[in-house]
Amino acid sequence: MIVQEEQMLKSIYELKKRLGEAKHESGSKAGRSIADHLTNVAFTSYLLAQYLYSRNVLDDRHVTLAFYAGLLHDMNKILSRSLRQSSSLEEIKEVLNSLGVSESDLFVQENLQIIQMCVSLHQETGLVGMELLFNREEKFDKKVKILTKVIKFADKFDNFSNADLEKDRRLKESCESVLREIQTLSDGKFDRTTLFHVVLKEYRGMLTELIFEVLNDLLIEKHDLFPIARFPNGLVYLSKGDQREEPLEHLIFELSQRFLDHEGIARAIFQDSVTFESTGVRLSSSAFEMKFNRLIDKLLMISISKKDKFNEKAIFIEGLQRICEELYRNGGSHRDSIKEKFKLLAGFNLGQKSKSQVLQEKYETISRLSPFVNSSESLEDFAKRCVSELTDLYEKRSKRNLKTYLERYLTINLSVCGYNIVEQYTKEFVRSFRRYGPHKYTCSICGTSGEDEVVEAESAETPSLKVQMFTNRGPAHKRMDPKRHVCQYCRLQFLATKAKGLNYSDSQIVFVLLPENYYPDSFLRAMEEQVKKELNGTSNESSQPAMSDVIVSLFKKGKKKEQLKIIFGNMVYIPIPVSGNDLQKWKSLSAMAAISALRIRHRIPVRVLVTKDVQLLQDDIEFDENIWVKDAGVFAKKILLNRGVWRQFGEYLQDTNLRDYLFEFLSQPTDLDVAAVVVKRWEDFKPMAIAPSLFKIFGGDRVEEIRKMAELARRWAFRRSSESKPTEYQYTKPFLDAIKSVRKFDPKTEDEEVLEALIFESVSRSTDSQNEAKEFADAFLSFLKRIGEGNLINGRETLILNYAKYRNLFLGTIKLLVYESTTSKKSKEV
Ligand SMILES: [Zn+2]
């Protein structure tokens, strides 16, 4: 019996739907989401069982059972009943069914019993009867006993809220003791009884993601560790007790090397190293991070790509000149050799330059000066000659800054099993701000300061971010000096962002999903597959549209099937391009983002950050609520204050309708106008409760006089109506009659008393009770005064001008009263 990860993911979504935002009420997990806890335990159990299977301790079916036992281990919380009542085989079967599990193998009596055992015995204080049964019945072998320990471990382990396990040594010890129990039960076949953990102290978007990615591979491949959980701030592994870590310095050295060799980083550096701009060949500072032959290759590519416009040999010579100038600058005692080599290759002196800024003239000058340009030697051969002549000097004089700074960064931020090199973090912190202030020494993004760490930002190195877009002095978008300075760590972060294919763009919103769960790699891949499949329209099951599909349709009207880029890592990044028309309206964009975030949160147990910035820092991911929309507009804030309603609203209107409705709301001048629109659309919203809730959110129920009049009108309508349910017209008749009389009234010739009389007269037509008619008329007058800001005549005009709005508000209040009376009747019946 092997259940696919995809199926398991669906079970998680279903469970999440079933439990919603229910929280643990007491105990060590108080305040935490039950669904998240169950999911975590399922993941951890699954991973541990998988490892035990690979060591021949468990069978393959136990891996699936571990997952489902983990997911169901708190049956009492799922069913809100006592453990004894809620762990019968029937109940387990029912819950599995409700999670959409279709594998019949799982429902075999024996398997259900195994799940039942795990549910009952995962705690020290399991059911006594079960324990006896367990020991008596022979059909439960040792494997099942081990499985209950697996669940027990996972349950305990989920008390950690981040990867820094050293913060709770007792808990760590307690988890490890369960691992040792498994070791004993498996006769030593299982020997990973120690928890190994790595933590990065600060978060820096893609830099952190990439470090974790490379580090994870390194630890698994080279250090034989088994991954068991991932947190936003670190990774946890199972290790063999006797495994002594090598010195941290070695790990950092190796990690830095692998990081810079990472395909994406190497590509990002290569891409940026040499560019051709309006001023000619330009080298970025990362050019000198590469090996010389790679740099020459890139220069060769650039030169050839421009040969239709200019002489490619001349372009190459210009590039060579730039390289040698830079080497000369750092040349020290090698300066003369560098000069000589250049003269030898190019045929003229290093300092000699064309005065013209016009490219055509510049390359003509170079062609005149350099014999190579007019020689028959091919550019490729010449490039080879350059490599052999200059490599030595280049190796001596070029500075590999990135590696140095990456090592320094890791030295400060990486801790392994609670150990880190820089013990005095505060001291390091103070040091990094020692020159804070002067723009030349202060990073304009993160504030790090120091003489050597901060360099001029280069457009070529940033992932399509215009350097002019940020500054530490003067207004944003200022296109002049001072030059923008960034620290080497931000520079590394730029490169990592590029390497991961994430771009800065004004026209995109980025959803960052911060997992509350330990999503194992295989599940991340399953999730990725699922999302991709549905995006490309190849998914055949349509019970639930893919989340990304839903989001895309919201942001990109009519473009459902567009391939969406999703970057999976410790956190998941979903950049969403926004169409031109919506761009300016952050108010509406942030509202759509807020609704999307609610839906994401409902489907996947993650915290959601919505931002336009991709250069994330630690501050950005530290937020209290589960959803954070950066710089949210007023409307978005309103949405986030009433999450349940808006989520349902978003969930029900899954297609472009949602967009239209939202825009209709957003274009209203005041909250009351929105409430009136809600009334207009009352019947469109399902489930039933949404319309009344929205109406209330926008204050539709808070106009006292309307409420008073609506109560009366409702009573009258019931009295008059022969059928049980009065029509809309019957409900609103007294209000409409009163408005008619207001229209009739002529403020030029008649005074207020006449108006009062007119209203009373018109209202009296709807009721026999003089007293009630008077009450209604008084409320109406007071209402007129309110909307006229104390003046009856102004109120009259406002009412006539906004007739539809107030009529809708009145009708809405009646609908609300009807709705409230039916629901309270229902709840009384129950
Ligand atoms: Zn910085």
Side-chain angles (χ1 to χ4, degrees), residues 666-823:
L666 283 157
S667 60
Q668 301 305 318
T670 69
D671 275 11
L672 274 184
D673 288 277
V674 183
V677 173
V678 172
V679 180
K680 211 165 68 182
R681 307 255 174 255
W682 199 276
E683 271 73 34
D684 296 351
F685 301 128
K686 301 212 172 58
M688 270 284 285
I690 291 187
S693 307
L694 289 179
F695 187 65
K696 279 160 99 172
I697 288 173
F698 292 99
D701 62 329
R702 261 169 278 161
V703 188
E704 231 174 274
E705 297 87 352
I706 291 189
R707 185 150 185 129
K708 172 114 206 153
M709 287 186 279
E711 273 162 9
L712 289 165
R714 184 165 161 258
R715 209 180 303 155
W716 300 343
F718 267 114
R719 262 185 234 153
R720 277 194 325 263
S721 168
S722 49
E723 291 151 51
S724 58
K725 207 177 164 215
T727 62
E728 205 168 273
Y729 172 75
Q730 284 169 318
Y731 278 138
T732 50
K733 185 174 182 304
F735 190 68
L736 298 183
D737 284 346
I739 294 179
K740 260 184 224 153
S741 66
V742 165
R743 282 188 199 274
K744 261 186 238 156
F745 171 73
D746 181 1
K748 282 184 200 123
T749 56
E750 295 160 326
D751 59 20
E752 286 181 16
E753 272 155 46
V754 177
L755 179 61
E756 282 182 45
L758 277 171
I759 291 170
F760 178 75
E761 196 183 276
S762 70
V763 172
S764 301
R765 272 178 248 141
S766 301
T767 177
D768 300 332
S769 162
Q770 294 281 305
N771 283 342
E772 286 186 4
K774 179 85 171 64
E775 261 180 70
F776 192 103
D778 285 348
F780 193 89
L781 282 165
S782 150
F783 163 69
L784 275 186
K785 268 193 194 144
R786 175 198 284 257
I787 62 175
E789 282 161 3
N791 182 316
L792 219 49
I793 307 303
N794 286 349
R796 174 184 177 271
E797 266 171 34
T798 308
L799 177 63
I800 290 171
L801 274 173
N802 300 285
Y803 166 75
K805 167 179 161 184
Y806 289 110
R807 180 194 163 275
N808 279 339
L809 284 176
F810 184 79
L811 180 61
T813 310
I814 292 206
K815 281 174 184 284
L816 180 67
L817 290 172
V818 173
Y819 174 79
E820 282 174 347
S821 80
T822 49
T823 47

Side-chain angles (χ1 to χ4, degrees), residues 98-111:
S98 81
L99 300 185
V101 180
S102 53
E103 279 72 11
S104 54
D105 287 358
L106 199 61
F107 292 93
V108 170
Q109 187 80 354
E110 194 199 339
N111 286 336

Side-chain angles (χ1 to χ4, degrees), residues 204 443 446 448 487 490:
R204 271 181 175 271
C443 173
C446 73
T448 291
C487 67
C490 282

Side-chain angles (χ1 to χ4, degrees), residues 122-148:
H122 74 271
Q123 284 173 316
E124 243 82 45
T125 53
L127 299 175
V128 183
M130 281 296 172
E131 187 89 54
L132 289 174
L133 180 75
F134 193 81
N135 291 330
R136 208 173 50 225
E137 296 253 338
E138 269 141 35
K139 68 176 167 188
F140 297 118
D141 53 16
K142 231 184 203 175
K143 290 176 180 172
V144 179
K145 187 136 199 172
I146 291 175
L147 208 53
T148 65

Side-chain angles (χ1 to χ4, degrees), residues 34 68 96 194 227 238 261 355 371 382 386 498 507 532 696 747 821:
I34 293 172
Y68 281 103
L96 282 176
T194 309
L238 295 180
D261 288 344
K355 292 197 175 63
F382 182 71
C386 291
K498 264 194 131 161
S507 56
K532 277 182 189 159
K696 279 160 99 172
S821 80

